[in-house]
Amino acid sequence: MSTPPGSSNPDQTRHDIQQTRAELGETIAALTAKTDVKTRARTKTTSAVGGLRQRVTQAGQSAKTRATQLAHTLSQQASQRATSAKQDSQHTIGTIRGSMRAGAQTTGKAESTLITSARAATTKIGSLVRAKSVPVLAATATASALAIVAYRRRRFR
């Protein structure tokens, strides 16, 4: 209060009383906020839930990225293996054809046993190449499916 005690100015006294009441109201509001455990707990809970949601979202994005990378890597490996198998089979087929020609010239027979066995080998190699590409592609598809399942399980826990 700025007015000395015993002052006779009623307007100044009223103003001082209003100011003191306002200060007292602010003090009581601050004390009430500090003692309101329920509101403080609710605020902390809301903050913790927000942080947890953010961490879960980041983990889901990380898992999705990793699954995409893994699927891409597996696809590349499958493609490389299929190309390698194709090259190997083409080389073997060329070798067999050369042997067939040499056998046909040596024996003079168009349908010698060498030609027959070379054709059988060529057929077998072709079927093996076709058979090999399927497990590689199946492994790629299986790995991709497992990565997606793992991502979804983490996301919904």
Side-chain angles (χ1 to χ4, degrees):
M1 288 191 192
S2 61
T3 307
S7 168
S8 62
N9 186 352
D11 289 334
Q12 182 65 35
T13 305
R14 281 188 201 111
H15 180 282
D16 289 343
I17 290 171
Q18 287 176 348
Q19 186 176 359
T20 303
R21 284 182 181 165
E23 291 172 0
L24 185 59
E26 290 173 8
T27 303
I28 290 172
L31 289 172
T32 302
K34 283 187 176 183
T35 59
D36 189 1
V37 177
K38 186 176 181 180
T39 301
R40 290 174 67 192
R42 190 175 294 142
T43 302
K44 272 189 172 182
T45 302
T46 302
S47 174
V49 166
L52 185 60
R53 281 187 181 150
Q54 183 180 11
R55 288 174 54 198
V56 166
T57 301
Q58 288 173 347
Q61 289 172 347
S62 175
K64 183 179 179 181
T65 301
R66 181 67 182 131
T68 302
Q69 290 172 346
L70 183 61
H72 181 69
T73 301
L74 290 174
S75 176
Q76 284 180 334
Q77 289 175 351
S79 176
Q80 289 170 351
R81 288 181 182 166
T83 301
S84 175
K86 182 179 177 182
Q87 290 171 348
D88 290 347
S89 67
Q90 287 173 345
H91 175 68
T92 304
I93 289 170
T95 303
I96 291 171
R97 284 186 179 152
S99 296
M100 285 176 23
R101 284 188 193 107
Q105 289 173 356
T106 303
T107 61
K109 298 179 182 177
E111 293 291 323
S112 69
T113 56
L114 182 60
I115 293 174
T116 305
S117 65
R119 284 186 182 156
T122 304
T123 304
K124 185 175 181 181
I125 289 171
S127 66
L128 287 175
V129 168
R130 282 186 229 107
K132 271 190 174 179
S133 64
V134 172
V136 172
L137 294 175
T140 302
T142 303
S144 298
L146 289 174
I148 291 169
V149 168
Y151 165 71
R152 287 188 176 170
R153 283 190 179 170
R154 283 186 182 176
R155 184 173 179 207
F156 292 112
R157 280 188 180 186

